[in-house]
Amino acid sequence: MSSVLFDAPGPKARARYRILGVVTALVIIAIVGFIVLRFAQSGQFDAKKWQLFTFPLVQQTIVQSVGATLSAFATAAVFSLVLGVVLAFGRLSDRKWISMPCYGFTELFRAVPLLILMMIFYYGLPQLGVQGITPFTAVVAGLVLYNGSVLAEVFRAGIESLPRGQSEAGYAIGLPKSAVMTNILLPQAVRSMLPVIISQLVVILKDTALGFIVTYNEILFQAKYFGSQAQYGSPIIPSAIIAGVLYVGMCLILAGIAKWLESRMRRNVKVVKVARSEIVAAEG
Amino acid sequence: MNTLLNNSDLFITGFRNTLILFFFAGVFALILGTIVATLRVSPIPAMRAAATLYINVVRNTPLTLVLFFFALGYPKLGLVEIDFMTAATVGLSLYTATYVAEAVRSGINTVPVGQAEAARAIGLTFTQTLTVVILPQAFRAVIPPMFSVFIALLKNTTVAAGFSVAEAGAIRSNLSERGEPAMAGLLWVALIFVLIVFILSFAQRKLEKKWKVAR
């Protein structure tokens, strides 16, 4: 660990570290203990509040809501990646009339809050006579526009960080620009950017939870519904705990894949290294 | 234009609350995030573990769920009663602090090893090394990612609208009660956000130039 900041501890320092370690552990136990105690005292662990979640029908509904979250995530992820590649190519185009609109598009959709985008689709468009906007389309459309713009920047940074010799060699053997882009630059950019791309996918997964505000029937929406069941003592905190476990679990699986890929990449010397701090995606 | 002018009261309250949320959550997140980042690089394993756990759990929880808990769950605990605005500030601060912590930590990593070694060589302790030598340089190095974190925070304040905080994201539902077209209202909200974000990005470029660490 970052031994840059401190020397290897001597006997005195080791004793001090031990005391401080115990103190830290006590403080954390106190905080967690307080929360658990408070939960227990206000009856959050009562069997009555958890009884609702023992019914097979309720469990099925939860599984369905996980499916709804995952289908919004998968659809949005695929289209965001496509839009990202298209926009990145657009911004790198030599023609001003292609690159300028793409620049404007990415900057604009990165600046508008995602929730407002979803609301524009869900509440705004039907008023203008657009038919058939379901909560699902609103959620996915918002996610695609926002994350597509973010991913476009990721792809562009990946392409621009490649050594110039790569594209020069492509031109030297007579390839047109489109072939240089798709056959030489993009595959390398995607590989060097894979960790960043996957952490952006985690952001998409998390942001599907915004769908609950535009009445998309996903995990959080169900959690609120179950939490409001008065005959089971309004188990809002138990259902928040369940939703939290589901989200953290799904995100950790994705993040785990990212970490695994990153460690594989690091061993592969052919992949160009890119400073990750250059691209800190704006998380939602 | 009419939608904006006829309902300027709604827009002004909405964006005032957004900016209040942004400011307080930003300040708290900056303080808490720096503390968490310090814990993450500290020599004591228990502190490092606690900070890592906090960051991993909160970063993988959707903000909507965090605010869900504070708006709907917290009142059930029978603790001190707080209004939604305060609850939203707490939720946003706790959530944003993890991103601040990661940004600060990446900044600490950019400081050359020699700086810390020199500081230790003249006898500074861990705390002194960190606060006098490392953190000031780290903060300057992380201005761009830090601004991204704050721009994200600004946009995230809209999520509080889902939980009855009357900020910019709630302008739509208030407008529809007055029978105004939702689209016009939403487009104005989006436009104002774009303007604020551009102002922030402009400030970022200025600060970046001014505070650049000469190496």
Side-chain angles (χ1 to χ4, degrees):
Chain A
M1 202 43 208
S2 50
S3 51
V4 183
L5 290 168
F6 43 86
D7 274 316
K12 229 175 168 178
R14 268 206 298 277
R16 199 168 59 230
Y17 288 174
R18 257 200 301 280
I19 295 169
L20 281 172
V22 171
V23 171
T24 315
L26 286 178
V27 169
I28 292 162
I29 290 169
I31 294 172
V32 174
F34 175 75
I35 295 172
V36 171
L37 187 72
R38 210 48 244 178
F39 275 18
Q41 278 175 353
S42 58
Q44 303 305 332
F45 297 132
D46 289 359
K48 191 181 160 207
K49 289 214 183 217
W50 290 85
Q51 193 195 354
L52 181 64
F53 302 103
T54 60
F55 301 136
L57 202 65
V58 170
Q59 290 166 357
Q60 263 174 34
T61 318
I62 293 175
V63 172
Q64 272 164 17
S65 66
V66 172
T69 289
L70 287 178
S71 70
F73 161 69
T75 321
V78 171
F79 285 110
S80 305
L81 288 169
V82 173
L83 181 66
V85 171
V86 171
L87 284 175
F89 280 177
R91 274 197 74 170
L92 290 169
S93 168
D94 295 327
R95 297 178 185 81
K96 267 262 154 64
W97 58 272
I98 297 180
S99 65
M100 285 317 281
C102 288
Y103 172 73
F105 188 96
T106 48
E107 291 300 309
L108 180 69
F109 284 106
R110 287 197 309 162
V112 178
L114 183 50
L115 184 60
I116 302 289
L117 270 182
M118 288 182 185
M119 284 180 172
I120 287 178
F121 279 103
Y122 189 62
Y123 297 107
L125 285 186
Q127 283 188 345
L128 301 183
V130 182
Q131 297 291 313
I133 300 278
T134 59
F136 178 80
T137 33
V139 169
V140 170
L143 285 171
V144 168
L145 286 178
Y146 173 70
N147 291 293
S149 304
V150 174
L151 283 171
E153 288 298 282
V154 172
F155 286 127
R156 192 176 65 100
I159 289 174
E160 284 183 344
S161 68
L162 293 172
R164 277 174 54 94
Q166 294 291 326
S167 52
E168 281 168 358
Y171 292 126
I173 57 170
L175 292 178
K177 186 168 180 186
S178 58
V180 171
M181 279 283 185
T182 52
N183 295 347
I184 298 178
L185 299 182
L186 189 65
Q188 297 190 71
V190 169
R191 281 173 78 186
S192 68
M193 284 299 177
L194 212 47
V196 190
I197 292 169
I198 294 186
S199 41
Q200 194 59 34
L201 294 184
V202 173
V203 173
I204 299 183
L205 181 57
K206 277 166 55 182
D207 281 350
T208 56
L210 286 172
F212 138 76
I213 297 171
V214 290
T215 69
Y216 181 52
N217 200 347
E218 46 74 72
I219 298 176
L220 217 48
F221 192 83
Q222 281 301 334
K224 193 185 178 193
Y225 173 72
F226 290 135
S228 60
Q229 298 301 302
Q231 68 267 40
Y232 296 101
S234 308
I236 196 93
I237 289 182
S239 48
I241 292 174
I242 291 174
V245 169
L246 288 174
Y247 276 115
V248 174
M250 290 194 296
C251 290
L252 283 181
I253 291 172
L254 254 183
I257 296 173
K259 210 165 207 172
W260 175 73
L261 280 173
E262 212 181 343
S263 67
R264 269 188 57 135
M265 298 269 132
R266 202 168 293 142
R267 268 183 273 136
N268 191 339
V269 285
K270 275 188 277 182
V271 176
V272 179
K273 286 189 184 53
V274 179
R276 282 192 70 181
S277 57
E278 276 176 26
I279 314 104
V280 174
E283 289 85 5
Chain B
M1 204 60 176
N2 281 335
T3 316
L4 179 68
L5 292 180
N6 293 343
N7 300 287
S8 52
D9 55 327
L10 278 184
F11 280 91
I12 290 171
T13 352
F15 275 99
R16 196 195 58 216
N17 284 343
T18 289
L19 291 177
I20 292 174
L21 266 182
F22 173 61
F23 178 77
F24 284 103
V27 170
F28 292 136
L30 198 57
I31 297 170
L32 184 61
T34 311
I35 295 173
V36 174
T38 314
L39 291 181
R40 250 203 119 165
V41 296
S42 83
I44 294 141
M47 287 184 181
R48 287 203 299 264
T52 313
L53 185 71
Y54 170 66
I55 288 173
N56 279 341
V57 170
V58 177
R59 265 179 88 107
N60 287 311
T61 313
L63 173 67
T64 327
L65 179 62
V66 176
L67 291 182
F68 179 90
F69 175 79
F70 276 99
L72 304 173
Y74 179 83
K76 305 253 175 205
L77 291 178
L79 289 165
V80 194
E81 274 188 41
I82 52 176
D83 55 13
F84 276 140
M85 192 78 176
T86 320
T89 312
V90 175
L92 280 169
S93 311
L94 290 179
Y95 180 81
T96 312
T98 58
Y99 291 94
V100 172
E102 287 297 86
V104 172
R105 196 172 68 106
S106 77
I108 291 175
N109 288 338
T110 66
V111 178
V113 182
Q115 296 284 329
E117 284 172 350
R120 289 211 312 276
I122 58 170
L124 298 186
T125 62
F126 170 73
T127 326
Q128 284 171 329
T129 311
L130 200 63
T131 53
V132 183
V133 180
I134 307 290
L135 278 183
Q137 298 187 62
F139 271 120
R140 290 169 167 211
V142 293
I143 287 172
M146 200 62 99
F147 264 88
S148 318
V149 170
F150 282 115
I151 289 173
L153 167 64
L154 176 74
K155 295 189 293 174
N156 281 339
T157 55
T158 52
V159 181
F163 305 97
S164 9
V165 176
E167 45 67 58
I171 290 174
R172 181 207 63 83
S173 54
N174 292 329
L175 277 179
S176 67
E177 274 167 26
R178 295 187 183 179
E180 292 279 352
M183 194 59 163
L186 283 169
L187 288 179
W188 278 114
V189 173
L191 186 71
I192 299 174
F193 265 105
V194 171
L195 282 178
I196 305 180
V197 170
F198 280 171
I199 294 172
L200 279 175
S201 325
F202 180 75
Q204 172 199 335
R205 275 195 291 276
K206 284 270 157 198
L207 275 181
E208 224 182 309
K209 255 191 213 135
K210 198 173 164 193
W211 283 1
K212 202 167 175 102
V213 188
R215 290 214 174 106

